[in-house]
Amino acid sequence: MSATPHKPTVTEREARQVAEAAREQDWRKPSFAKELFLGRFRLDLIHPHPMPADEDAQRGEEFLAKLRDFCETKIDSARIEREAQIPDEVIDGLKEIGALGMKIDTKYGGLGLTQVYYNKALALVGSASPAIGALLSAHQSIGVPQPLKLFGTQEQKETFLPRCARTDITAFLLTEPDVGSDPARLATAAVPDGEDYILDGVKLWTTNGVVADLLVVMARVPKSEGHKGGITAFVVEAGSEGVTVENRNAFMGLRGLENGVTRFHQVRVPAANRIGPEGAGLKIALTTLNTGRLSLPAMCVGAGKWCLKIAREWSAAREQWGKPVAFHEAVGSKISFIAATTFALEAVLDLSSQMADEDRNDIRIEAALAKLYGSEMAWLMADELVQIRGGRGFETAESLAARGERAVPAEQILRDLRINRIFEGSTEIMHLLIAREAVDAHLSVAGDLIDPDKSLSDKAKAGANAGVFYAKWLPKLVAGPGQLPRSYNEFNQQVDLSAHLRYVERSARKLARSTFYAMSRWQGRMETKQGFLGRIVDIGAELFAMSAACVRAELLRTTGEHGREAYQLADAFCRQSRIRVDELFDRLWTNTDDLDRKVVKGVLSGTYTWLEEGVIDPSGEGPWIADATPGPSKKDNVHRPIR
């Protein structure tokens, strides 16, 4: 029997408990980034830079050559932008060369590429068309293949993975019209009915959902006899009776994106299609995203490389006051920023990806930092490119071509990249997610101490445990290799990078001391200090990027590939990054966070409505959030499978 789902009423504490239960609690492997936040600079975990096996590299390079030829001869990016749709023949061609199965094991018909080469492929195809990059990424990084690879049964893998590798496009459905980063309020229901489940609910922003053949759907199973219940993951055939794609959404960028609204009404799903046990859905989603998040910075790296190419070519051709604009300092500093940052982003991506492939380290924080840092820095690089191009940067490629100039889509890349700061965890949510991991050691020893619901005896016990931990830990934050002039001296070649690594080591200890001070000052209120936590995370991201840049430069030096130039770029990046880190440290304690909270209260209470006078609001009528009441669809099905 089915039941009408209802939207759960959830308190802040309950929402936090749901998120905490889904979080991977254990650290069974070392983590460079986790150690960094604890004030321990474990260079040995990332240096010497790990390398792919020769066989993996050969297989990856062969596919990249095939993909490059396809991108150059079969993809018309301007047409996709103009028609707001990827042509069916392009998707068919991608299927033929195996692009749907890049990460799927060869025994299921996939290409079996490593994370490193999968990301190189996404950077390449994403530079040809960001919409195609998004389609392939959503299909393989978070769609059906990844959760099945991690949590699926052998039967599920044999049933679905061959389809995913060659023919079937997949999508991941978690978000709902009134549920974003707070999944405790998830309303889509999956009610047990014999050997099946009956799905009812509405999902929003279903990337690939309009053309998908298979869906990963997160739904809430009600607790009942024989059923543990909770948020659960299912593989659903997109063509099932009762599945309706009600709308194909349109956005400021990624105009070829097949993103929609999907309604489920009395959709019957076999229990054999459930991924993992009941109640494991959020854990599956978060674990899937741990490495899945690396696909976004991959495309950000591709964007940075393109921005650098255009900035170089344009700034050499465009003259102002008797010399190329590149040699005017105001423009030159922007070009230097793009070049240095692209080098660092690629360093972060390749290092994180190779560590993911080797599986020696836990990279959940590294992947999250790569996503956060990559999406923010790529947006800045694209913005600087538009500025370097001036009026031409604001003009569309189509308009440029119409008046006889090179069709450079600078404004398009700015629009296309903007979503990456929201996709798969917004910057604000990433700050909180990473901060939770960064302060995990503190909460694990002092959690009961700051929990208002714990008894005095629990608090006393927690206090004793915390005392032991901090007595051992705090003295180690006073001094370290960063204060010794010859530390990391192998990085002192024609350019001295050792000084930057000493800075990272000192800053990591300072970061840990700052976190400890904040914990002792705010205790249980620490989690409400989102401004402070965001800056802590941003400092960690910069320190990780500096470390990766130096390690990559040394790798390139020892392999004889542009070593001297790599050292110069790493040096430039680290000098730029250190300025940002110093400013972030200052802003930990000197900021307007308290004042901002007062202003926000005033804004929401209507105190400043007089400030809004004198304008016209061109917005249309309608509710802020669409009604998602379960029931039969009243709209035409715009589902468009590509066969």
Side-chain angles (χ1 to χ4, degrees), residues 321-344:
W321 298 314
K323 58 183 177 182
V325 293
F327 295 122
H328 290 287
E329 200 169 87
V331 174
S333 64
K334 299 179 188 301
I335 297 172
S336 173
F337 167 74
I338 293 172
T341 305
T342 297
F343 177 81

Side-chain angles (χ1 to χ4, degrees), residues 372-450:
L372 166 71
Y373 195 70
S375 58
E376 288 292 329
M377 299 308 271
W379 165 256
L380 289 176
M381 287 191 287
D383 190 51
E384 293 288 40
L385 176 66
V386 167
Q387 193 69 18
I388 291 169
R389 287 275 290 160
R392 291 172 174 84
F394 192 65
E395 192 172 0
T396 67
E398 190 174 30
S399 176
L400 288 163
R403 59 181 187 79
E405 289 193 3
R406 186 173 300 188
V408 178
E411 59 83 31
Q412 182 191 332
I413 199 169
L414 192 65
R415 290 187 284 102
D416 288 342
L417 284 171
R418 185 60 183 84
I419 187 57
N420 290 337
R421 297 169 64 200
I422 301 169
F423 256 171
E424 294 181 27
S426 68
T427 290
E428 293 71 26
I429 291 299
M430 297 307 295
H431 275 148
L432 298 181
L433 184 150
I434 298 166
R436 174 62 188 85
E437 302 294 356
V439 301
D440 182 55
H442 302 280
L443 291 177
S444 63
V445 298
D448 287 354
L449 195 61
I450 60 178

